[in-house]
Amino acid sequence: VSPDAVTATVVDALDALVGLPYDGEPVDQLQHALQCADHARRSGAGRELVLAALLHDVARSPHVAGEADDAGPLDHGQQGARWLAPLLGAQVAWLAGAHVAAKRYLVATESAYAAGLSAVSARTLRAQGGAMSPEEVATFEAHDGWRDAVALRRWDDLGKDPDARVPGVAAYVDDLREQARCAAGC
Ligand SMILES: [Fe+2]
């Protein structure tokens, strides 16, 4: 599959997030994705982490046939990762997929974090398995990208501002094409 075809597939999946409710949060799924990516970019994150922030909830897109909730064997992060891996490579997929795990990690390791979750996010935490066990924390920290996954999670929690004005999907097309090229071997 050519980088242009991958880019078109990903852009279509993102565009289909417009107007989709984000649980009870005050932004739609597309605004949420764009705000998370913008936080990543302004924080100086590299291309893979910016794109993972943009695409972390892509499993919510009707173009990515995911399950309705996180009670199944794969949560929506893992479902998104499975879709992303052949398109944009293993690292983008892992970072995107780890955002549910990173929330469970932060709940286990930062007492203030759980208290700061939105009401919606606190409610979904239960379906996602609650706080990580000490063994799960150790396994998570053994992964090279765990700090980036935690950073993405914090942008995820910030990307719910109804008044934010951020660049649209077009701002990420060059990075998507370059990443698709690299995922195919660069
Ligand atoms: Fe999110």
Side-chain angles (χ1 to χ4, degrees):
V1 188
S2 74
D4 283 340
V6 167
T7 302
T9 297
V10 173
V11 167
D12 284 350
L14 280 168
D15 285 343
L17 294 173
V18 71
L20 275 188
Y22 177 24
D23 300 323
E25 307 286 3
V27 295
D28 70 6
Q29 293 276 354
L30 180 58
Q31 260 306 303
H32 173 61
L34 293 169
Q35 288 185 25
C36 292
D38 192 59
H39 280 294
R41 205 160 58 152
R42 286 190 287 110
S43 301
R47 183 180 68 225
E48 290 183 316
L49 184 51
V50 170
L51 294 179
L54 179 68
L55 293 160
H56 73 279
D57 280 336
V58 76
R60 305 295 198 200
S61 172
H63 290 223
V64 184
E67 294 161 44
D69 57 38
D70 287 340
L74 294 181
D75 64 48
H76 72 278
Q78 294 166 320
Q79 291 166 29
R82 193 170 49 177
W83 186 81
L84 286 166
L87 299 172
L88 297 176
Q91 184 67 1
V92 171
W94 187 84
L95 288 167
H99 77 276
V100 176
K103 172 179 167 184
R104 298 183 55 233
Y105 171 85
L106 283 166
V107 169
T109 57
E110 274 184 23
S111 51
Y113 181 78
L117 286 175
S118 69
V120 175
S121 197
R123 179 158 42 74
T124 55
L125 174 65
R126 273 196 297 272
Q128 292 161 344
M132 278 187 174
S133 68
E135 294 74 21
E136 288 174 310
V137 166
T139 302
F140 186 72
E141 289 180 346
H143 195 285
D144 276 350
W146 77 270
R147 285 186 179 82
D148 285 345
V150 168
L152 193 159
R153 180 71 223 182
R154 296 191 198 277
W155 300 322
D156 189 7
D157 295 322
L158 291 172
K160 305 173 176 181
D161 178 355
D163 300 319
R165 292 290 170 268
V166 297
V169 174
Y172 300 95
V173 164
D174 288 349
D175 276 354
L176 281 169
R177 194 179 295 111
E178 184 60 21
Q179 183 62 31
R181 208 185 335 264
C182 281
C186 76

